[in-house]
Amino acid sequence: MIYTSAQDWREATHKRVLFYGMSGLGKTHVSNTLRDAGNWFHYSIDYRIGTRYMGELIADNAKAHAMQVPFLRDLLLSDSIYIGSNITFHNLTPVSTYLGKPGNPAKGGLPIEEYRIRQEQFRQAEIHALMDTAYFIRRADALYGYPHFICDTGGSICEWVDGDDPEDTILKELSAHCLLIYIEGSEAHTAELIRRFDRAPKPMAYQPAFLDAAWAEYLKENNCEEDEVDPDSFIRWTYARALAHRQPRYEAMVKWGVSVTANEVATVKTAQEFEALIATALERRAATPI
């Protein structure tokens, strides 16, 4: 780890951290808190994915739909209108909309093979965005003069790394530049995330082997063909399974950094409170080595 003790962390003139954990447990909350402090640079992996690595795919998908409307088709072909996505830190909807949901096209679903292609595009994009972290650390300091740096990752980071492999390429790169911080939820948090997702199911990324197994099981359990699958029903059915699949993968990553609870993160209102929390987490790790 780049900070070996609480004292080392407190005395660091350049603090660099990376948050990971299930979506909805406070990564973006604490990132916004630190960014608002004025001397922390906020690097959002999802924003980087949407603007740098999938921006053209997202725009082309929107154009493909527009081309099906004669009025818009004529305007596009004559370069009379421009179609693009309005991605911001607070609106990453274009990314999830492009990722989509598999199932019946009449219900807004994608054919499973097209869905797998988009899943792979997202996997590659997220890995590239994660590996850009060191570049943005240098850029934040050299170009903008920010002494401190936050990398705010998506919930799917655990799908592309192996925390038990000491030679994992992505984790070695990230831990060489940032303190990796796991935001850990309780069973109550997990239950609330499932209830929240059930009310408003959103596209998410899956490890290929997990997706294949879940898709096959869903078809068998519901006795349906691929083009009969209700997209929202499938991702609702899959969500709790995906969380259970990810949990041990997150936990395997803890040895690369420190952990804090979602309840602890929820109490953070200032950069000073955050710095104190991480000092405590480093003290806990020193007292109970992983």
Side-chain angles (χ1 to χ4, degrees):
M1 296 191 303
I2 62 173
Y3 310 107
T4 57
S5 68
Q7 181 177 353
D8 190 19
W9 162 259
R10 291 189 184 99
E11 294 176 352
T13 56
H14 290 73
K15 293 179 170 64
R16 305 192 297 269
V17 299
L18 177 148
F19 301 122
Y20 71 94
M22 290 187 292
S23 296
L25 292 184
K27 296 189 300 291
T28 301
H29 156 71
V30 73
S31 296
N32 289 338
T33 297
L34 295 176
R35 186 182 69 223
D36 292 344
N39 56 357
W40 287 81
F41 183 91
H42 180 192
Y43 175 50
S44 166
I45 293 296
D46 284 340
Y47 180 79
R48 178 69 167 168
I49 289 170
T51 54
R52 172 64 176 85
Y53 292 109
M54 294 186 72
E56 189 172 277
L57 293 169
I58 292 167
D60 284 352
N61 184 53
K63 291 174 185 176
H65 283 277
M67 287 288 285
Q68 297 173 26
V69 180
F71 174 74
L72 296 177
R73 174 186 169 86
D74 290 344
L75 290 173
L76 280 172
L77 290 176
S78 63
D79 290 328
S80 300
I81 60 171
Y82 167 81
I83 293 179
S85 62
N86 186 28
I87 294 176
T88 68
F89 277 16
H90 303 291
N91 179 24
L92 297 165
T93 301
V95 178
S96 60
T97 299
Y98 176 78
L99 199 56
K101 308 167 188 177
N104 187 344
K107 296 183 177 181
L110 292 169
I112 188 62
E113 290 308 318
E114 174 62 23
Y115 185 71
R116 288 191 177 107
I117 289 171
R118 296 190 187 195
Q119 287 278 314
E120 176 59 18
Q121 290 169 339
F122 184 89
R123 184 188 72 84
Q124 293 184 23
E126 184 163 28
I127 291 173
H128 282 305
L130 289 166
M131 298 298 277
D132 285 344
T133 299
Y135 163 70
F136 272 90
I137 289 173
R138 294 190 296 271
R139 188 176 182 225
D141 188 16
L143 187 59
Y144 301 113
Y146 284 98
H148 309 311
F149 180 90
I150 323 139
C151 179
D152 175 11
T153 71
S156 52
I157 181 176
C158 66
E159 303 285 23
W160 329 127
V161 304
D162 181 357
D164 290 324
D165 180 3
E167 297 301 317
D168 186 272
T169 302
I170 299 172
L171 290 175
K172 283 184 71 175
E173 170 66 13
L174 295 175
S175 62
H177 301 285
C178 297
L179 175 65
L180 274 57
I181 302 170
Y182 173 42
I183 301 180
E184 181 179 4
S186 63
E187 290 184 4
H189 286 116
T190 300
E192 175 56 29
L193 291 177
I194 292 171
R195 285 193 294 270
R196 191 185 307 169
F197 190 89
D198 190 62
R199 289 194 299 269
K202 297 178 181 179
M204 61 187 295
Y206 308 106
Q207 195 180 71
F210 172 85
L211 173 61
D212 289 346
W215 184 249
E217 184 180 351
Y218 183 89
L219 293 178
K220 182 179 180 180
E221 183 176 307
N222 290 274
N223 191 29
C224 62
E225 299 297 325
E226 292 183 347
D227 60 358
E228 296 173 338
V229 171
D230 181 283
D232 283 343
S233 175
F234 172 74
I235 64 171
R236 284 191 178 102
W237 180 89
T238 305
Y239 186 67
R241 292 166 173 79
L243 294 189
H245 159 77
R246 287 181 175 183
Q247 191 60 40
R249 302 189 65 85
Y250 287 135
E251 292 171 356
M253 295 169 63
V254 174
K255 63 178 69 70
W256 293 82
V258 299
S259 65
V260 295
T261 69
N263 286 338
E264 288 175 323
V265 168
T267 67
V268 170
K269 299 295 187 293
T270 66
Q272 292 74 24
E273 291 176 351
F274 169 75
E275 292 172 14
L277 174 59
I278 301 310
T280 299
L282 285 161
E283 289 169 349
R284 284 197 302 244
R285 179 185 170 105
T288 56
I290 298 173

